[in-house]
Amino acid sequence: MPLFQHQQIKLYNSLTGKKETFKPINEGYVGMYVCGPTVYSNVHLGNVRTFMSFDMVFRYLKHLGYKVRYVRNITDAGHLENDADAGEDKITKKARLEQIEPMEVVQRYTVDFHNILNTLNFLPPSIEPTATGHIIEQIELITNIIDNGFAYEVNGSVYFDVHKFNETNDYGKLSKRKLEDLIHNTRELDGQSDKKNPQDFALWKKAEPQHIMRWPSPWSDGFPGWHLECTAMSTKYLGDQFDIHGGGMDLKFPHHECEIAQNEAAKGKSPVNYWMHANMLELNGQRMSKTTGNTVNPDELLSGNNKFFSKAYSPSVIRFFNAQSSYRSVLDLTDDGLLASEKGFYRLMDAVNLLDDLKPSKTSSIDVNSWKQTCYDAMNDDFNSPILIAHLFEAAKYINQIKDGSETLSAEDLNTFKATINNFVFDVLGLKNATKSDSGTDKLSGAVDILIKLRQEARANKDFALSDKIRDELAEVGIQLKDGKDGTTFSTN
């Protein structure tokens, strides 16, 4: 019997603003769509946090025995700067600046995206469609919306008529915004003169002569609107109505709001039963921003080659850090937080690695089945991974007590205990087994600390040639020394 038949998930539905019992449209099957990256640059660490949260959701649904079709797209055209309806396509701009083909940009950063996610032990989605691979479906969708009276064409571009739609539908129901408020807070901007109203958004944009990426359509040679792409791809592979749509909190408005409107305008039905949104990732208590320099790439976090962190962190430590916070909470990425997570991760792994040494007894002094259900209860409560981790640390305590003989488990209970720990640690949380000595981190730290002390002595003796030699030769083998007010630290690349 599949686990989902006696494990009931309650998830927070952004559409209704409350936790709801999860009931898929088709019993035993789940359709889930998550908005993927726009591949014009290295994947943002905040996006990785979102994808990691939904990777855990995907893993848990699969663990419960659901057959999951997980669709996560690649936006490789149509995403304009600042998510506006006018301006330059992000990918086209990158191609122009680097004087390469747009699809070279797409290929480079799609490969980077996959490499980062593979390193962090993500499961691949069931389907990973691209916007450029679904132009025909998008044109058909626009045609349906026009035929139903909710879109209009002006000078080769097609716009969604938000005001007309709102006469019979509720535009803003996901983000809890009223059209009247949007009208009041909107200024008329240059580039919006083709629209009937500033709130209308582009379904198809006529390409200017300098725009490289373009496709023929009944209205013009042009390109699709960003919001349209996800509507076309999600419904193509999951049907006009499906179970879960996920993404970052920043996509709730306007992107996801527009997806709902497009689907209702084209097909007369709301596309998604459960909307899930992962919250933001901050860096040292501040919003991540390229303009302020308060940002770090995933590969810089993994290598330690950055100005924010004292060392490199392993993929599993990063996953563990992420899981220690609810996906709906703002997560503050700090060095202290990662160091604490690293300590906790290895403490858990030390306990897990003792499992095979445990010997069964005739009787059990621990109620394993009750403990096991607390793990499921945590994940059933809107995928509450922090509470799950608390129960796994409780298991670590049990492991040490069984080892020293103060607690006992029968053979049957011991097998249940081992299987449950392995299922949640490795299958659901997606961690990989490790010990501190696996990477030689402790030994490396010890050796580099000795060299740092020798360098400090050289500098104290004004032997700057030796000091520079130690620094430069360490750099040649990929170890970067960083001198700061609190002393010298190192990172590896």
Side-chain angles (χ1 to χ4, degrees):
M1 178 185 295
L3 285 169
F4 65 77
Q5 291 188 357
H6 52 89
Q7 298 294 342
Q8 188 66 68
I9 294 174
K10 288 201 169 192
L11 59 82
Y12 183 85
N13 189 347
S14 298
L15 187 62
T16 61
K18 59 184 181 182
K19 288 183 186 177
E20 298 179 357
T21 299
F22 176 63
K23 186 176 181 182
I25 295 169
N26 299 303
E27 185 178 358
Y29 294 83
V30 177
M32 182 170 75
Y33 185 88
V34 173
C35 293
T38 302
V39 283
Y40 70 100
S41 65
N42 298 106
V43 62
H44 190 277
L45 196 58
N47 291 341
V48 170
R49 190 258 169 125
T50 295
F51 301 138
M52 192 175 290
S53 297
F54 286 103
D55 180 65
M56 184 179 65
V57 171
F58 181 36
R59 286 170 173 274
Y60 186 60
L61 292 171
K62 284 169 63 72
H63 171 71
L64 291 184
Y66 285 110
K67 292 186 177 179
V68 187
R69 177 174 289 176
Y70 174 23
V71 182
R72 187 186 65 217
N73 73 298
I74 296 286
T75 295
D76 59 350
H79 194 163
L80 301 185
E81 290 188 278
N82 303 318
D83 304 337
D85 287 326
E88 194 167 15
D89 182 288
K90 292 181 177 181
I91 293 167
T92 299
K93 180 180 180 180
K94 188 79 169 184
R96 181 176 56 78
L97 290 172
E98 298 194 13
Q99 296 186 323
I100 58 177
E101 283 290 328
M103 283 302 154
E104 288 183 74
V105 175
V106 167
Q107 178 69 9
R108 176 190 302 170
Y109 294 114
T110 301
V111 169
D112 168 73
F113 174 65
H114 288 152
N115 285 343
I116 291 297
L117 266 56
N118 288 340
T119 299
L120 291 167
N121 199 32
F122 279 62
L123 296 178
S126 314
I127 303 172
E128 193 174 53
T130 63
T132 57
H134 296 80
I135 299 295
I136 292 173
E137 289 85 354
Q138 292 173 77
I139 290 173
E140 289 176 350
L141 193 60
I142 296 170
T143 301
N144 288 341
I145 296 173
I146 292 174
D147 290 346
N148 290 339
F150 294 113
Y152 56 91
E153 183 264 334
V154 181
N155 297 327
S157 293
V158 181
Y159 296 97
F160 189 94
D161 192 335
V162 171
H163 288 239
K164 180 67 180 296
F165 173 80
N166 202 55
E167 291 174 5
T168 53
N169 297 269
D170 183 10
Y171 182 79
K173 62 184 176 182
L174 177 65
S175 57
K176 311 299 185 285
R177 303 183 188 207
K178 296 295 182 184
L179 183 56
E180 294 78 13
D181 296 333
L182 294 173
I183 294 170
H184 179 71
N185 293 318
T186 302
R187 293 184 298 111
E188 187 72 36
L189 301 175
D190 291 341
Q192 292 185 333
S193 57
D194 284 348
K195 300 180 185 181
K196 291 182 181 178
N197 299 286
Q199 295 76 34
D200 297 347
F201 57 88
L203 299 175
W204 186 267
K205 287 290 292 180
K206 179 181 179 180
E208 299 299 326
Q210 69 272 18
H211 199 97
I212 307 170
M213 302 179 81
R214 59 176 67 212
W215 293 265
S217 79
W219 314 285
S220 65
D221 279 5
F223 53 94
W226 172 45
H227 309 310
L228 185 78
E229 299 168 356
C230 284
T231 298
M233 289 183 281
S234 62
T235 55
K236 176 180 175 65
Y237 296 109
L238 298 175
D240 291 349
Q241 288 184 299
F242 54 95
D243 298 302
I244 298 172
H245 193 314
M249 193 78 74
D250 56 321
L251 297 181
K252 187 184 291 186
F253 185 88
H255 185 52
H256 291 161
E257 199 75 71
C258 293
E259 282 192 60
I260 293 174
Q262 289 164 163
N263 212 78
E264 291 183 351
K267 301 172 184 181
K269 58 184 74 170
S270 190
V272 181
N273 285 346
Y274 305 93
W275 285 89
M276 296 178 65
H277 290 94
N279 215 321
M280 309 301 288
L281 179 70
E282 294 182 343
L283 179 58
N284 293 323
Q286 301 292 324
R287 180 184 176 89
M288 283 200 184
S289 169
K290 288 183 179 178
T291 55
T292 63
N294 191 55
T295 187
V296 60
N297 285 339
D299 57 346
E300 293 171 339
L301 180 60
L302 288 160
S303 68
N305 188 21
N306 61 80
K307 64 182 181 181
F308 299 102
F309 300 102
S310 60
K311 55 180 292 183
Y313 291 98
S314 75
S316 283
V317 167
I318 294 170
R319 285 193 74 106
F320 191 70
F321 173 79
N322 186 73
Q324 286 183 295
S325 176
S326 165
Y327 76 91
R328 289 198 293 123
S329 300
V330 174
L331 179 59
D332 188 15
L333 185 67
T334 66
D335 197 41
D336 287 344
L338 282 166
L339 286 169
S341 287
E342 183 178 59
K343 194 173 295 184
F345 168 73
Y346 283 119
R347 183 157 63 90
L348 181 61
M349 288 303 108
D350 287 344
V352 169
N353 288 320
L354 292 174
L355 276 173
D356 288 338
D357 296 331
L358 300 183
K359 305 299 181 187
S361 301
K362 291 182 179 180
T363 59
S364 298
S365 61
I366 301 168
D367 187 345
V368 167
N369 288 322
S370 177
W371 168 83
K372 174 182 174 181
Q373 188 56 46
T374 64
C375 295
Y376 282 101
D377 289 344
M379 289 302 289
N380 291 341
D381 181 17
D382 198 29
F383 309 99
N384 198 330
S385 55
I387 299 300
L388 169 64
I389 288 172
H391 293 313
L392 292 173
F393 277 123
E394 185 180 16
K397 182 184 72 173
Y398 291 152
I399 290 169
N400 288 307
Q401 289 172 334
I402 295 165
K403 186 173 182 292
D404 66 24
S406 59
E407 299 283 4
T408 60
L409 284 180
S410 67
E412 182 180 357
D413 283 349
L414 183 57
N415 287 335
T416 299
F417 187 59
K418 289 179 179 179
T420 304
I421 290 173
N422 285 318
N423 285 337
F424 281 103
V425 170
F426 303 119
D427 295 345
V428 174
L429 294 181
L431 306 176
K432 287 189 173 181
N433 202 343
T435 63
K436 283 188 178 181
S437 60
D438 284 343
S439 61
T441 301
D442 286 349
K443 293 178 181 177
L444 175 63
S445 296
V448 176
D449 283 344
I450 292 170
L451 290 170
I452 288 174
K453 288 177 182 177
L454 290 173
R455 180 169 173 262
Q456 289 170 339
E457 290 175 6
R459 294 172 76 177
N461 295 327
K462 301 191 183 315
D463 188 352
F464 299 113
L466 177 58
S467 169
D468 291 346
K469 184 178 182 182
I470 292 172
R471 180 199 62 204
D472 295 343
E473 292 194 7
L474 283 172
E476 286 180 11
V477 295
I479 298 171
Q480 308 292 329
L481 297 186
K482 299 178 185 179
D483 295 319
K485 61 181 181 179
D486 297 323
T488 301
T489 60
F490 77 94
S491 62
T492 58
N493 55 28

